[in-house]
Amino acid sequence: MICVRSNPSPAPQEDAWVTSYQRLVPHWHSVSLSHQHSSIPISISRVNQFDAARLDIELSAMLKEQLVKVFSLMKPGMLFQYEPELDAFLEFLIWRFSIWVDKPTPGIALMNLRYRDERAVALRGKVRTGLEGPGLTFAQKMWYCVAAVGGQYIWACLQSFSAFRRWGDSEQRPLARRAWGLMQRIEGLFKAASFGNLLIFLYTGRYRNLIERSLQARLVYESPNMNRAVSFEYMNRQLVWNEFSEMLLLLLPLLNSSTVKSFLHPFSKDKSSSSKEDDSICPICWASPTLVYLALPCRHRYCYYCLRTRCAAVPSFQCSRCSKPVVAMQRHGSDVEHKTQSQ
């Protein structure tokens, strides 16, 4: 038997571990910092963002309605000339008590959203959900107020003033026509930019409007965990009511009011109350007839226009009071009979 004796490997130097540690420590710190400050990709529901904007619009409309009711006893039309100022005042109130104090607007809060400054590159603390980040800065809040409140107010006043002065008429001065044309171009460019921003928002899910995109103010979830408190009973009731209203809109134009009244007349509780006051009014328009005509042979009173149009529209028109066929019509106090078209 032949035994082969292998040479033992040389022992490492005493400072080899120290050298390896010093060489790898900077790489380890760089990797840990990159993982700590790397942003987690998040996806915010586009429907929630649109619903938040719609809820804010509805809230502003409700506040405006209540404010108008306060001045309902004053001179009619007084608030109409101050409508731009009223809208700007309500928008300023919403901004003052929400965004200015680092709180979301009511619609944004209902959708569990908040504004985050996307320009802040380094996130504070350890990243867990990707929703961390500072809110809007002082400059962002002020520019938001200038654009959302002041910009809309100035544009509304300019449109109202130009429409009142009729800048778009061909008879106006060239300067007024140029100003009107410039306004139309600015409005067209803004609508085109808004449409482009909408397409980008639908693709990326960031920045609903141009103001948010210019300020880099992104909507993110306020809390990563939120239970959806949805009342299915309310949803079912709403669906049933919508279907019922659509059915009524479809069927009501097909119904004849006089036929329905004559059908329900035998079931009425007040059968003996066919008083003189009821006989003196037209059973179609329920008003006192100015030109009284009698339906023959039952001799019930009608307005000439009501009786004539019904007889022309329905060949076999029946009296709305007694359900007898109307074969002719006669002016009250006259002996001349007028045959209906059915004759």
Side-chain angles (χ1 to χ4, degrees), residues 263-323:
F263 176 76
L264 297 177
H265 181 71
F267 304 97
S268 62
K269 299 180 181 179
D270 202 10
K271 293 183 180 179
S272 60
S273 62
S274 301
S275 59
K276 297 181 180 179
E277 181 181 359
D278 294 333
D279 292 336
S280 63
I281 63 177
C282 176
I284 297 178
C285 64
W286 297 100
S288 180
T290 55
L291 185 57
V292 183
Y293 265 72
L294 304 178
L296 301 180
C298 60
R299 303 187 66 83
H300 284 126
R301 297 185 178 189
Y302 286 86
C303 296
Y304 170 75
Y305 177 76
C306 296
L307 185 59
R308 189 66 178 176
T309 52
R310 288 301 176 89
C311 292
V314 183
S316 58
F317 174 68
Q318 298 178 354
C319 178
S320 301
R321 295 190 183 277
C322 60
S323 301

